[in-house]
Amino acid sequence: MSDTNDSQKIIDCPHCGKAISATSEKCPYCQKEINQQPEQSQEDNKTKKLNIKKILFIAYAVLSVFVILGLYNSLSSAKMRNENLQKKIEAYQYDIDDYKDTIKDLKKQLAEKEDYESKYNELNSQLDNYKDQQATINDQNNKLTEIQSQYDSLQSERDNLQQQVDAKKAAEEQAARAAQQQQWEQESQSNEETVYWVAGGECYHSSPNCATLKRSSNIVSGSVSSAGGRRPCKVCH
């Protein structure tokens, strides 16, 4: 009965560790002899089981320690990550505040830009109006230049006419003076005595019978004013 139970019992080969029959004298796998007695095999099995249990317990304990350490590390890492995340959140909050300030500045700049654009459009409108006024001024200046040219032309014609009038007036005055001079000469001749002189002579004479004219021929007669500035003769005057 015991032989039957032993034949059915399975043990591990002490050499290769594979499961074989407890009655086997030689391992069918590694072909090595099994030199263990049955009682020793049972004790060994019990020892092995105890060792396995101890190993499992130790492994479980070590695993538990590792798990605990892992959890602790995970918690620590999670805590650090949480702290880092909190720091990042605070940094982001600072950035958000900065962005808000930047947005306010941009809105202010946008409002100023719109104000500038409004002023720019107003200045453009004034500039267009100025250009229109400048065009009108230029047109008026052109007309003024044309009128000035016409005025200068009329002034030149007036000066020419004035010169002609002055020349005509001077000629008339000269003619009047000449006529008056002639009239005066005629009146003077009619009032003055008749005197006598010869060409090349220096004196005029009151009578053609003056002793100084006895040898002279071509005796000329006329008034004293027409005697050509000759002096009176000392003999007959």
Side-chain angles (χ1 to χ4, degrees):
M1 185 68 177
S2 60
D3 294 337
T4 304
N5 292 331
D6 290 338
S7 62
Q8 294 178 356
K9 189 176 180 180
I10 302 300
I11 63 172
D12 293 332
C13 175
H15 302 289
C16 66
K18 292 187 178 181
I20 61 173
S21 175
T23 59
S24 299
E25 295 180 357
K26 190 176 183 179
C27 178
Y29 297 102
C30 66
Q31 301 299 320
K32 290 183 179 181
E33 293 181 356
I34 306 302
N35 297 322
Q36 296 180 352
Q37 294 180 357
E39 292 180 359
Q40 292 177 348
S41 299
Q42 290 179 359
E43 290 178 0
D44 292 338
N45 289 332
K46 289 180 182 180
T47 303
K48 287 181 179 181
K49 288 180 180 180
L50 289 174
N51 291 332
I52 291 171
K53 288 181 180 180
K54 288 179 180 179
I55 292 170
L56 291 175
F57 178 77
I58 293 171
Y60 178 76
V62 172
L63 182 61
S64 299
V65 171
F66 279 112
V67 170
I68 292 170
L69 291 174
L71 291 174
Y72 177 77
N73 291 330
S74 298
L75 290 174
S76 298
S77 178
K79 185 178 180 181
M80 291 180 64
R81 287 197 300 270
N82 189 20
E83 290 177 354
N84 293 331
L85 183 60
Q86 186 65 30
K87 291 180 180 179
K88 288 183 179 179
I89 290 172
E90 291 177 356
Y92 290 152
Q93 187 65 39
Y94 292 146
D95 293 338
I96 289 171
D97 293 337
D98 291 338
Y99 290 150
K100 286 181 179 179
D101 293 337
T102 303
I103 289 172
K104 288 181 181 178
D105 292 337
L106 290 174
K107 286 182 179 179
K108 184 178 179 181
Q109 292 177 5
L110 181 61
E112 292 177 353
K113 180 182 178 182
E114 291 177 353
D115 187 24
Y116 291 152
E117 288 180 350
S118 177
K119 291 181 179 179
Y120 176 76
N121 293 330
E122 183 178 357
L123 289 175
N124 275 337
S125 178
Q126 293 178 1
L127 180 61
D128 292 336
N129 188 18
Y130 170 76
K131 288 180 179 179
D132 294 337
Q133 293 178 358
Q134 187 64 38
T136 303
I137 292 172
N138 292 335
D139 187 33
Q140 295 297 326
N141 284 333
N142 292 331
K143 290 181 179 179
L144 180 61
T145 302
E146 183 178 356
I147 292 172
Q148 185 67 37
S149 178
Q150 294 177 358
Y151 172 80
D152 293 338
S153 178
L154 292 175
Q155 187 72 19
S156 178
E157 291 180 2
R158 186 189 71 83
D159 292 340
N160 292 330
L161 290 174
Q162 186 66 39
Q163 290 177 0
Q164 293 177 6
V165 170
D166 293 341
K168 184 177 181 181
K169 185 176 180 181
E172 290 176 351
E173 289 178 354
Q174 186 175 2
R177 285 195 297 271
Q180 187 176 8
Q181 182 69 26
Q182 186 177 4
Q183 182 178 0
W184 288 345
E185 289 178 355
Q186 290 175 357
E187 291 178 354
S188 177
Q189 289 178 0
S190 60
N191 293 328
E192 292 179 354
E193 60 178 339
T194 302
V195 294
Y196 304 91
W197 66 89
V198 291
E202 297 179 355
C203 302
Y204 64 82
H205 307 272
S206 60
S207 171
N209 298 320
C210 179
T212 58
L213 294 176
K214 288 182 179 181
R215 295 180 180 181
S216 299
S217 60
N218 298 325
I219 298 173
V220 181
S221 63
S223 64
V224 175
S225 60
S226 62
R230 294 178 173 82
R231 60 182 176 80
C233 176
K234 293 180 179 181
V235 176
C236 61
H237 278 279

